[in-house]
Amino acid sequence: MDIVSIIADIPLFHGLSPGQCAKLGAIAVRKYYSKGQSFFSEGDDADGFYIILSGRVKVFKLSPEGKEQIFHILEAPEPFGEAAVFAGKNFPACAQALAQTQVLFFPVRNFLDLISKEPSLSLSMLALLSMRLRKLTTLVENLSLKEVPGRLAAYLLLLNDRNGSKSAIELDISKNQMASLLGTIPETLSRILKRMADENLIRADARTISILDKQGLADLAEGNRKLN
Amino acid sequence: MDIVSIIADIPLFHGLSPGQCAKLGAIAVRKYYSKGQSFFSEGDDADGFYIILSGRVKVFKLSPEGKEQIFHILEAPEPFGEAAVFAGKNFPACAQALAQTQVLFFPVRNFLDLISKEPSLSLSMLALLSMRLRKLTTLVENLSLKEVPGRLAAYLLLLNDRNGSKSAIELDISKNQMASLLGTIPETLSRILKRMADENLIRADARTISILDKQGLADLAEGNRKLN
DNA sequence: GTTGCGCCTTGACTTAAGTCAAACTTCAGT
DNA sequence: ACTGAAGTTTGACTTAAGTCAAGGCGCAAC
């Protein structure tokens, strides 16, 4: 598929004229990353940002002892690394492919020229950064104000909402990664899933989790209830 | 002082022509808040954002049990509430005056008109949101990947850097608020300050803290050292 | 199939940090 | 100066969650 048509399809770029999409197409570079490959590491010079075309990416930090905190897990057509570009510094975190991944890479310099001439693009970017900020705010809230059962409950409800009508959640990341996303470790996650099952809040079967008591989970997430 | 001259002095608005400052002046409203007064609460409709002219503001969330996590403590000439405006939703946190505070309030609607016509303004806003994102990333890192002594060490070093040459740090917030900023409680903060003093990393005397061993604190903050 | 390597779970133990309660300090307001 | 409220410190205790170690499960490669 033609790179300009791809660009025109990306939500972030809706509102751009065909001419502007063509300009973007001229500066964008298509790149391929295999599972486990690193896009950038914390401290790297922010020379551009990425938009995912296919595959999956995690953005994370590591503690010196090796504990990992995942900030986002992203899929097409989401961008990443965009904030570092506007702050004009280096990347504050690491990004790695979780699977075979195809991206478009936009070098900073050319992109900044374009954005300053294109109000609809800057408004989209502002909206995007604001959503990221909101998401991070929620992460801080979860880490600081909720215990692990509350975080897990909130996360399960989120997955459930995304799922629409389906009654069971099919986990699309490993429980290791899930623990890292929730700011905990696999052992703790495993134990808490079990406790939830014991209280008939969920039924957990390998990669499949069914929510039995939505209200119960909501109470847990809000801190109005405790697990035994 | 004239509202337009005030606006021209705000870093966020540098790069705007006098005419554009005048337009901003026409939509801005000057407001006064007394200590403890609330600007907005979590969930409130985001009808605009604020820029601090004098005083001090905290942005925070509360857990149902009443624990507080402070996200930012802001002073003139910093803006707050800006992200909610671009996300076009409601405020994800609360904001309250920590002292007698004077602000400019910019209603969303008028402001969005203006920004879409003013590239330099949108670039400033993008840079601002990016810096906020970076700051929140650090907060998540601290909460998830560091223990309280590490967080405190990092915070003291930050205050020390801000201070420039002065050898002693004069705390400008209560230790209660400081605990809340570090994601802990006053009792824990008090104990850890004492342990740091015991190890000759700092000398703490009421509101004044002197850093005795910068490298030691840095090691703590990086997780390369533990407190006894 | 069998081997081996991640992923996941479980148990026993440790530990950082929170809770509760009491006392002391600081400071604003009367 | 007195009073009371808020901020701070300290001690004894509790607890959520992490560490360490072992074993089981599942899947891919040979």
Side-chain angles (χ1 to χ4, degrees), chain B residues 6-226:
Chain B
I6 293 175
I7 286 174
D9 266 353
I10 294 169
L12 182 62
F13 297 136
H14 288 171
L16 293 186
S17 69
Q20 273 135 358
C21 287
K23 278 190 206 154
L24 272 175
I27 68 172
V29 184
R30 214 194 287 220
K31 294 190 177 183
Y32 299 85
Y33 289 77
S34 48
K35 181 175 174 172
Q37 209 180 339
S38 164
F39 293 91
F40 50 79
S41 297
E42 185 176 346
D44 284 1
D45 214 49
D47 52 348
F49 76 100
Y50 302 79
I51 294 185
I52 305 176
L53 298 182
S54 70
R56 194 196 296 240
V57 173
K58 71 171 170 185
V59 177
F60 63 101
K61 278 207 184 208
L62 294 174
S63 77
E65 299 82 36
K67 190 187 170 192
E68 175 189 80
Q69 173 67 48
I70 297 182
F71 288 81
H72 312 283
I73 290 186
L74 303 163
E75 297 183 340
E78 295 183 272
F80 63 95
E82 68 299 330
V85 163
F86 298 110
K89 298 219 181 159
N90 31 32
F91 292 110
C94 310
Q96 215 176 57
L98 285 178
Q100 176 75 15
T101 297
Q102 196 189 154
V103 297
L104 288 180
F105 176 76
F106 297 84
V108 205
R109 184 175 275 272
N110 305 305
F111 188 76
L112 286 182
D113 289 348
L114 216 143
I115 204 173
S116 59
K117 292 179 196 120
E118 204 32 68
S120 81
L121 183 50
S122 44
L123 282 180
S124 302
M125 272 290 175
L126 285 168
L128 172 67
L129 293 187
S130 298
M131 289 307 291
R132 287 281 153 81
L133 226 19
R134 181 174 294 257
K135 212 172 147 190
L136 269 195
T137 300
T138 306
L139 181 55
V140 170
E141 176 183 16
N142 286 341
L143 290 172
S144 172
L145 266 22
K146 288 181 185 156
E147 309 189 326
V148 181
R151 287 177 228 164
L152 176 55
Y155 182 65
L156 291 177
L157 290 172
L158 184 93
L159 290 182
N160 189 55
D161 281 354
R162 273 196 210 151
N163 250 2
S165 50
K166 277 169 250 159
S167 68
I169 299 166
E170 195 60 37
L171 294 183
D172 58 354
I173 54 175
S174 79
K175 287 180 181 171
N176 269 333
Q177 298 291 285
M178 191 168 152
S180 179
L181 194 55
L182 296 175
T184 184
I185 56 172
E187 292 95 319
T188 298
L189 177 60
S190 177
R191 283 185 247 267
I192 291 177
L193 279 170
K194 196 175 172 194
R195 285 203 277 159
M196 285 182 171
D198 287 347
E199 301 198 18
N200 292 312
L201 292 166
I202 60 170
R203 186 138 33 80
D205 183 33
R207 276 281 154 85
T208 308
I209 295 180
S210 317
I211 294 188
L212 303 180
D213 180 356
K214 207 164 167 174
Q215 187 54 48
L217 286 179
D219 289 343
L220 252 185
E222 298 306 322
N224 300 323
R225 172 180 175 154
K226 295 263 171 198

Side-chain angles (χ1 to χ4, degrees), chain A residues 42-70:
Chain A
E42 186 174 347
D44 284 1
D45 214 49
D47 52 348
F49 76 100
Y50 302 79
I51 295 184
I52 305 175
L53 298 181
S54 70
R56 195 196 293 239
V57 172
K58 71 172 169 184
V59 176
F60 63 101
K61 278 206 184 209
L62 294 174
S63 77
E65 299 82 36
K67 191 187 170 191
E68 175 189 80
Q69 173 66 49
I70 297 182

Side-chain angles (χ1 to χ4, degrees), chain A residues 125-139:
Chain A
M125 271 290 176
L126 285 168
L128 172 67
L129 293 188
S130 299
M131 289 307 291
R132 286 281 152 81
L133 227 19
R134 181 174 294 260
K135 214 172 147 189
L136 269 195
T137 300
T138 305
L139 182 54

Side-chain angles (χ1 to χ4, degrees), chain A residues 18 47 57 83 89 99 117 146 164 167 186 217:
Chain A
D47 52 348
V57 172
K89 297 217 182 164
K117 293 182 195 116
K146 288 183 183 154
S167 68
L217 287 178

Side-chain angles (χ1 to χ4, degrees), chain A residues 152 156 175 189-197 202 209:
Chain A
L152 176 55
L156 291 176
K175 287 181 181 171
L189 177 60
S190 177
R191 284 185 245 267
I192 292 178
L193 279 170
K194 196 174 173 197
R195 286 202 277 159
M196 285 183 172
I202 60 170
I209 295 181

